[in-house]
Amino acid sequence: MSQVFDKKLFQNRLSTRWLGRDFEYLKKVDSTNSYLKKIPAEELNHGFVVLADDQEKGRGQHQKDWVTKPGENLTFTLALKPDRAEGLTLLTLSCALAVANVLQNYSRRPFLLKWPNDIYVDHKKIGGVLTECSFLGPKPEKVLIGIGVNINQEEFNVGSVQQAVSLHQITGEKFKREEILANILNRIEQLYQSWVNREITVHKEISRALIGFGDWIRLSIDNEVIEGRYKFLGVNEKGELLVLNEKLELNTYSHEQIRIITGSESISKVR
Ligand code: BTN
């Protein structure tokens, strides 16, 4: 059932220094990312967060739509102004990791990251991240990190390639979205600081949470499966994929169209 977002409850749970202290709640918008894109960078504070109960044109990666029921999930965007452009992929993955870490407090099922930007549980997608940046020369002017997390929705359309799932569906419980949002922002602020400090724990933790980490996998680029099998070593400090080929040579990939094919999927894709 659709619930109006309780801003006071959210603010009481928030323990960040700067992330989400400047917060806007919208009942309805086209997309929280599109909304922030239209605001000039100089009018946006670092750490500003906008959340909408209903997105009429929610957007996902690769021009896909992000469609969820109003008032049942979390759909929000952070505006960040980091000093460097290097490692933005790692920053996106850090936000996905923060979501996975927080959801892990509500269920014992393992919440994992699917390269490049998804959060999965039980082979189903529970959340995703869409990062969009504008640059002033080499420096990012604003980095918009849009996050969608399925919380209380009871059913999703079947038949999409990535079957969606909500926290409610895997636990049988209903959750306060305000509490989960505050917990996610608390964790993102910690990980952001570690990212700024270039702490190696960031890419190590992300690597450990990635589906297929340590396994022999196959890779595809632009939907074409690449010859051979690769040992998946996770990501480096830039967020690039690290793999060993069958001759045990180290390869790195940053191409955003690259996909990791694991388990039974890897067998069916090469037939
Ligand atoms: C993906 O998995 O493809 C990324 C999904 C990102 C969805 C979020 S919901 C809030 C923000 N606004 C959007 O229009 N998209 C992102």
Side-chain angles (χ1 to χ4, degrees):
M1 207 184 63
S2 173
Q3 295 264 312
V4 172
F5 189 84
D6 181 344
K7 196 170 159 180
K8 275 268 158 316
L9 179 58
F10 158 69
Q11 282 164 336
N12 287 340
R13 297 287 177 137
L14 192 68
S15 60
T16 56
R17 271 193 311 117
W18 51 269
L19 183 59
R21 290 289 156 195
D22 191 1
F23 179 82
E24 186 170 0
Y25 161 71
L26 302 168
K27 250 185 133 32
K28 194 184 273 204
V29 73
D30 50 355
S31 142
T32 51
N33 270 41
S34 307
Y35 178 77
L36 286 182
K37 257 185 172 180
K38 286 175 218 140
I39 302 179
E42 55 279 12
E43 289 172 29
L44 282 176
N45 289 331
H46 173 67
F48 179 56
V49 174
V50 59
L51 171 126
D53 267 342
D54 187 5
Q55 292 192 121
E56 292 182 307
K57 280 192 188 155
R59 297 186 287 110
Q61 285 276 328
H62 309 297
Q63 279 74 50
K64 288 192 192 138
D65 296 333
W66 184 264
V67 184
T68 53
K69 284 200 180 151
E72 299 189 0
N73 304 295
L74 286 171
T75 47
F76 60 101
T77 301
L78 331 170
L80 301 175
K81 295 181 169 181
D83 284 336
R84 63 175 210 261
E86 191 202 333
L88 287 180
T89 311
L90 201 69
L91 185 56
T92 300
L93 282 164
S94 303
C95 292
L97 179 68
V99 171
N101 288 165
V102 168
L103 296 181
Q104 201 61 74
N105 295 325
Y106 299 94
S107 163
R108 291 212 180 143
R109 311 295 312 156
F111 291 83
L112 297 170
L113 308 186
K114 184 163 176 175
W115 168 268
N117 61 346
D118 295 337
I119 302 108
Y120 265 64
V121 59
D122 291 347
H123 306 288
K124 293 179 182 169
K125 181 162 169 169
I126 193 162
V129 182
L130 174 68
T131 298
E132 298 178 298
C133 314
S134 61
F135 288 88
L136 250 189
K139 234 189 107 185
E141 176 185 49
K142 63 179 176 187
V143 175
L144 303 178
I145 302 190
I147 303 179
V149 192
N150 301 330
I151 307 290
N152 288 325
Q153 193 162 323
E154 292 181 353
E155 53 187 16
F156 294 87
N157 290 338
V158 279
S160 81
V161 186
Q162 300 158 316
Q163 180 57 48
V165 72
S166 69
L167 192 58
H168 164 71
Q169 286 176 311
I170 60 159
T171 59
E173 292 168 37
K174 291 277 175 157
F175 297 89
K176 293 220 176 298
R177 294 177 300 145
E178 298 82 352
E179 177 187 300
I180 297 180
L181 178 66
N183 291 341
I184 290 173
L185 298 186
N186 294 342
R187 182 69 181 130
I188 291 178
E189 188 177 277
Q190 286 173 348
L191 284 168
Y192 182 84
Q193 207 46 58
S194 302
W195 176 83
V196 167
N197 298 340
R198 299 174 194 259
E199 290 170 25
I200 58 163
T201 49
V202 179
H203 67 92
K204 294 233 149 132
E205 270 189 58
I206 289 169
S207 297
R208 272 198 295 271
L210 278 163
I211 293 174
F213 175 62
D215 295 345
W216 285 96
I217 55 152
R218 293 189 185 270
L219 293 173
S220 74
I221 299 184
D222 297 324
N223 292 322
E224 286 287 319
V225 179
I226 312 176
E227 201 49 45
R229 293 192 327 137
Y230 297 85
K231 184 123 183 123
F232 182 30
L233 304 182
V235 290
N236 63 14
E237 66 291 344
K238 294 184 195 155
E240 294 166 335
L241 279 186
L242 293 177
V243 294
L244 288 179
N245 65 18
E246 280 159 312
K247 293 180 196 152
L248 300 184
E249 294 159 337
L250 185 65
N251 295 353
T252 58
Y253 291 96
S254 55
H255 194 294
E256 67 160 27
Q257 300 293 353
I258 199 137
R259 290 287 172 276
I260 294 165
I261 310 165
T262 54
S264 56
E265 208 196 342
S266 84
I267 299 161
S268 57
K269 280 259 163 92
V270 291
R271 278 194 181 135

